[in-house]
Amino acid sequence: MRAVLVLYFKYFLKWDDDLATSIYHVFVALCYLTPILGAIVADSWLGKFKTIIYLSVVYAIGQVTMAVSAVHDITDTDRDGTPNNMTFHVALSMLGLFLIALGTGGIKPCVAAFGGDQFNDNQEKQRRTFFSVFYLCINGGSLLSTIITPILRAQTCGIFAQEKCYSLAFGVPAALMVVALLVFISGSGMYYKAEPEGNIMLDVCKCIGFAIKNRYRHRSKRYPKKQHWMDWAEAKYSKLLIAQIKMVLRVLFLYIPLPMFWTLFDQKGSRWTLQATNMDGNFGLLVIQPDQMQTVNPILILTLVPIMDSLIYPLIKKCGLDFTPLKRMTVGMLMAAIAFVCAALVQIQIDTTLPTFPSSSQSQVKLLNMGSNPVSVKLPGNDALTLPAAQASAEFFTFEAENISVSIGNVAKNISLAYGARQTLLIPSNISEEWILSDGLTSKPQEGNNAIRFINGMNTTVNVSTSAANFGLIEPSYYSNYSNIKNGKILFEISILNGSQSCEYSKEFGYGSSYTFFIPSTLDFGPTCQESITAAEDIKPNSISMALQIPQYFFITVGEVMFSVTGLAFSYSQAPSNMKAVLQAGWLFTVAIGNFIVLIVAELAKLPKQWAEYVLFASLLVAVCIIFSIMAYFYTYIDPTEIEAQFKKTDDDDEDEDDDDDKKKTEVEMVKRDSDASHNDSDDDSDEERQTKI
């Protein structure tokens, strides 16, 4: 669902790139914050099975809500394909996203753990096989979804107007989620359902809270200092638990710089997808949608993980290099920074192909000679320009003034332009007649479409039609509205009003272009119709191939393998076995914080160029990487099992000493009682006899 989410924000809800990016990352952050809540609910209250059931229902309801929010016909009262009450769709989609975040967060920490619960201690091999299949399914699902969901989105659907089918892209995952839930419930009788035993995260938080509170109480200098601030919890908690928390805190301290990696990594679903919308997805035999480029990530993951584990790491070890886990994570962060440098270079190339639109204090105009003879046009601040018959000027002219004087021969006219607009000045064959200004586009066509319009230079009304769009009747010396055309070869039929004459015109379209086609007064409805019509390119098509994004996806995936996979393995190796959930919560929390950082930068930085934002993120990660490398240099690797064993042995020794002390105390008390009894019973005994008895 995330694969198409940022495009849904931009094209359906009509949000700008910054707002779409911000809300996307807020959603992702919530998806990584709620697992902490889900783990606490499962371990302390409902148990894993019920938590999965209840929150999967919430998950499915959220997905259905998203599908309903994407049905434009609900509020499309004028039946033009655009919702008239956008507030309704925004509110419904935000509710759906919240429910999805709650649902996915609830089941994320439970599903894998519940599967692991189904195996006994003597079934370790089967448990490993289960987890292998489980994570294979996750990556397979990621791969299939990033291929199929964009295809569903690209379909057109609607009752009154055919638009991109985001409701189908959200509805199919909703239906599959319901099916998956029913299948899961049907196996209820076969599952082992462990009872909730309390959540270790709560115990850790209580212990840390008590240590801080106790330290604050004893902040006076008269109290002796402790070796570690957690030692202030010894008054209530065991030394073993305190030692385990100390080990976890050492790892969590290393987590502090990690959110910046996720800040860059998760932008492949937002900024990089938006970048791909201005690129050419034609790979010859294959046409890639902008949101399908994310497919490169799971493909590379499935390829690189075994290569790194079985080839790269062993090769580095044979070279005698000590490539520790923290060093791998550092290199992974650098790989992510390199990926964003690549993205910046690609963006610079894209920017060279983008048109320069007028600012709010500028206006732009293009000239079109509708006559059958060349004309010489003089514009303010420009040399005289000769326009051939039935031709347009190659470029738009930019003016700071709102009113300009245009001269053709002895005729000069004052033309009132509109600030912030692109316009085309239609110069009639008889220059003494009215000159018409037609408004053009001030942004590239959305979703890779091509914006097309026709100008009729004939003395009679013409009809232009195609299977992809209907331009309708065009009056003499006038123009049609823009219509969106998909890429590929399109055939247009041009006919005069009574239909007695017609001809066909065809053109191959790319992605994201805009054309104005001029039908001259001298149009031949015969075989030369194709050559008679003039095509003026107002906005160039996307010419930078999406293949240029592959290097940045490669580097970010290498970074993910070296950073994420290694980071989790390192964290688990440095923490006690009963503290894995705490580290998992901390790791997910870094992902959430990383997405919030994107939100902050996208809203506050407001850099004029997108490539500059990419460079900013890369620079921030390099700076954080240097800090992390310094922290890693001073980190000492430990063996949690050995430390735990030492504390357990100490506790056992203390218990034995306590038992010996209790035994000795009991013997003394028994002797004392005997002595007192003898003293009372033998008051007449001699001192010598009493001493003997004692």
Side-chain angles (χ1 to χ4, degrees):
M1 191 275 296
R2 276 171 56 183
V4 302
L5 187 58
V6 74
L7 298 185
Y8 168 75
F9 290 155
K10 180 176 181 179
Y11 296 136
F12 188 92
L13 299 183
K14 308 299 182 184
W15 290 349
D16 61 34
D17 288 0
D18 285 344
L19 181 58
T21 299
S22 298
I23 301 301
Y24 173 89
H25 286 286
V26 168
F27 169 68
V28 175
L30 286 177
C31 288
Y32 283 98
L33 281 177
T34 49
I36 301 173
L37 179 63
I40 293 174
V41 169
D43 292 342
S44 304
W45 181 28
L46 293 177
K48 298 183 185 70
F49 178 75
K50 289 183 179 179
T51 302
I52 293 172
I53 296 294
Y54 296 156
L55 291 180
S56 290
V57 172
V58 174
Y59 199 150
I61 292 173
Q63 198 72 51
V64 170
T65 304
M66 281 298 296
V68 174
S69 75
V71 179
H72 63 271
D73 291 306
I74 295 176
T75 62
D76 185 14
T77 53
D78 54 7
R79 302 184 180 183
D80 64 348
T82 302
N84 295 98
N85 185 1
M86 195 62 77
T87 304
F88 170 82
H89 294 275
V90 170
L92 208 58
S93 60
M94 292 303 101
L95 174 62
L97 289 177
F98 176 76
L99 294 176
I100 291 170
L102 194 62
T104 187
I107 68 173
K108 195 185 290 289
C110 298
V111 175
F114 183 74
D117 287 346
Q118 307 309 307
F119 301 91
N120 298 324
D121 293 339
N122 60 350
Q123 294 178 311
E124 186 61 33
K125 180 180 178 182
Q126 288 85 349
R127 184 186 284 113
R128 285 199 303 268
T129 303
F130 162 76
F131 281 118
S132 297
V133 174
F134 179 74
Y135 288 112
L136 179 64
C137 289
I138 288 177
N139 283 282
S142 175
L143 178 61
L144 288 174
S145 65
T146 47
I147 295 173
I148 296 173
T149 312
I151 294 175
L152 297 176
R153 173 195 64 80
Q155 306 304 309
T156 56
C157 60
I159 300 173
F160 307 117
Q162 297 291 307
E163 297 293 332
K164 296 293 184 182
C165 207
Y166 289 96
S167 56
L168 184 63
F170 295 143
V172 169
L176 294 176
M177 188 65 199
V178 172
V179 172
L181 178 57
L182 294 175
V183 172
F184 180 71
I185 294 174
S186 66
S188 175
M190 297 183 288
Y191 303 145
Y192 166 73
K193 302 163 189 172
E195 293 297 323
E197 299 176 350
N199 190 276
I200 188 65
M201 285 187 287
L202 294 178
D203 295 335
V204 170
C205 292
K206 288 178 182 177
C207 184
I208 293 174
F210 180 79
I212 295 172
K213 185 168 63 175
N214 203 26
R215 174 68 183 89
Y216 181 76
R217 286 175 181 170
H218 298 82
R219 62 188 182 277
S220 175
K221 293 183 178 179
R222 61 180 178 169
Y223 295 105
K225 290 185 177 181
K226 301 277 189 181
Q227 187 176 3
H228 192 281
W229 62 270
M230 274 302 301
D231 293 334
W232 288 99
E234 289 179 352
K236 187 176 179 180
Y237 295 91
S238 68
K239 291 183 178 180
L240 176 59
L241 178 62
I242 294 171
Q244 291 170 334
I245 294 175
K246 286 179 183 177
M247 288 184 272
V248 169
L249 290 176
R250 293 175 75 250
V251 179
L252 292 179
F253 177 71
L254 285 176
Y255 281 5
I256 294 175
L258 303 191
M260 187 52 67
F261 174 86
W262 301 113
T263 298
L264 275 69
F265 178 79
D266 278 330
Q267 288 191 64
K268 62 184 175 59
S270 57
R271 288 297 196 198
W272 288 10
T273 301
L274 293 173
Q275 183 186 61
T277 61
N278 290 321
M279 302 179 76
D280 183 5
N282 192 342
F283 285 74
L285 298 176
L286 188 64
V287 176
I288 299 294
Q289 298 293 329
D291 36 0
Q292 284 181 318
M293 275 304 293
Q294 298 176 57
T295 308
V296 176
N297 178 249
I299 291 175
L300 287 174
I301 281 284
L302 294 172
T303 306
L304 288 175
V305 169
I307 292 176
M308 299 291 280
D309 287 339
S310 60
L311 182 62
I312 304 299
Y313 293 152
L315 190 62
I316 293 174
K317 189 175 181 180
K318 282 188 176 182
C319 293
L321 298 175
D322 185 20
F323 202 37
T324 62
L326 292 179
K327 290 180 181 177
R328 294 181 193 177
M329 293 176 67
T330 305
V331 174
M333 295 169 83
L334 289 175
M335 291 293 107
I338 293 173
F340 264 64
V341 172
C342 293
L345 294 175
V346 171
Q347 189 63 46
I348 290 172
Q349 291 296 314
I350 293 173
D351 289 346
T352 60
T353 66
L354 296 177
T356 302
F357 294 109
S359 66
S360 58
S361 60
Q362 294 177 326
S363 55
Q364 291 183 342
V365 66
K366 176 180 275 195
L367 307 175
L368 173 62
N369 179 12
M370 300 175 66
S372 54
N373 297 307
V375 294
S376 179
V377 184
K378 182 70 173 67
L379 294 171
N382 292 275
D383 296 331
L385 173 69
T386 300
L387 282 178
Q391 294 291 327
S393 58
E395 302 293 339
F396 281 88
F397 297 93
T398 303
F399 298 97
E400 304 291 336
E402 192 172 7
N403 296 299
I404 62 171
S405 176
V406 181
S407 302
I408 300 177
N410 297 325
V411 178
K413 290 197 175 186
N414 288 322
I415 306 296
S416 295
L417 303 177
Y419 278 137
R422 271 189 162 195
Q423 297 172 295
T424 300
L425 180 61
L426 308 183
I427 303 173
S429 55
N430 183 358
I431 58 175
S432 62
E433 294 179 358
E434 180 186 7
W435 296 8
I436 299 175
L437 274 174
S438 65
D439 292 330
L441 299 179
T442 53
S443 63
K444 281 184 72 71
Q446 305 289 352
E447 301 187 69
N449 290 321
N450 302 279
I452 308 301
R453 68 173 176 176
F454 283 82
I455 295 178
N456 180 16
M458 301 183 69
N459 296 323
T460 182
T461 302
V462 298
N463 180 54
V464 180
S465 62
T466 178
S467 59
N470 184 18
F471 295 88
L473 299 176
I474 308 174
E475 298 294 328
S477 300
Y478 210 68
Y479 54 90
S480 69
N481 292 325
Y482 282 100
S483 294
N484 287 328
I485 303 292
K486 289 185 177 181
N487 67 296
K489 189 173 184 178
I490 304 296
L491 184 67
F492 301 94
E493 183 178 354
I494 303 170
S495 60
I496 60 176
L497 184 59
N498 58 18
S500 60
Q501 289 181 301
S502 65
C503 69
E504 292 182 343
Y505 174 78
S506 64
K507 183 169 177 61
E508 187 83 25
F509 293 99
Y511 297 89
S513 65
S514 176
Y515 288 91
T516 296
F517 295 105
F518 176 61
I519 304 172
S521 58
T522 57
L523 176 68
D524 182 5
F525 282 94
T528 60
C529 175
Q530 181 78 22
E531 291 77 22
S532 300
I533 295 177
T534 302
E537 187 180 70
D538 298 331
I539 298 176
K540 295 180 179 179
N542 302 341
S543 56
I544 305 298
S545 174
M546 284 187 197
L548 289 182
Q549 280 195 321
I550 293 177
Q552 64 200 59
Y553 273 100
F554 173 78
F555 282 113
I556 201 75
T557 308
V558 171
E560 180 187 7
V561 172
M562 301 186 75
F563 179 88
S564 182
V565 178
T566 305
L568 275 174
F570 160 77
S571 302
Y572 279 29
S573 71
Q574 296 296 292
S577 57
N578 65 333
M579 296 284 174
K580 307 298 185 189
V582 180
L583 282 179
Q584 181 71 19
W587 187 266
L588 294 175
F589 189 70
T590 64
V591 181
I593 296 300
N595 280 273
F596 280 126
I597 293 174
V598 182
L599 166 68
I600 293 169
V601 173
E603 289 299 316
L604 296 183
K606 298 293 185 183
L607 296 175
K609 296 292 184 180
Q610 184 58 53
W611 65 263
E613 185 178 292
Y614 290 144
V615 172
L616 173 63
F617 278 118
S619 303
L620 290 174
L621 185 57
V622 170
V624 168
C625 183
I626 294 172
I627 296 172
F628 179 76
S629 63
I630 295 172
M631 296 168 63
Y633 178 78
F634 290 102
Y635 182 84
T636 304
Y637 290 84
I638 61 171
D639 185 355
T641 307
E642 183 179 336
I643 294 175
E644 284 182 302
Q646 291 175 0
F647 273 91
K648 287 177 181 177
K649 183 179 179 182
T650 303
D651 289 343
D652 291 341
D653 291 343
D654 290 342
E655 289 177 5
D656 291 341
E657 289 178 5
D658 291 341
D659 291 343
D660 291 342
D661 291 341
D662 291 341
K663 185 176 180 182
K664 290 176 182 178
K665 193 179 294 182
T666 303
E667 290 176 353
V668 170
E669 289 176 353
M670 290 176 65
V671 170
K672 186 176 181 182
R673 283 197 298 269
D674 289 343
S675 172
D676 292 341
S678 300
H679 180 73
N680 293 332
D681 293 341
S682 309
D683 289 336
D684 297 333
D685 289 349
S686 64
D687 291 340
E688 183 179 352
E689 287 175 335
R690 284 199 295 270
Q691 289 174 3
T692 302
K693 287 181 179 179
I694 290 172

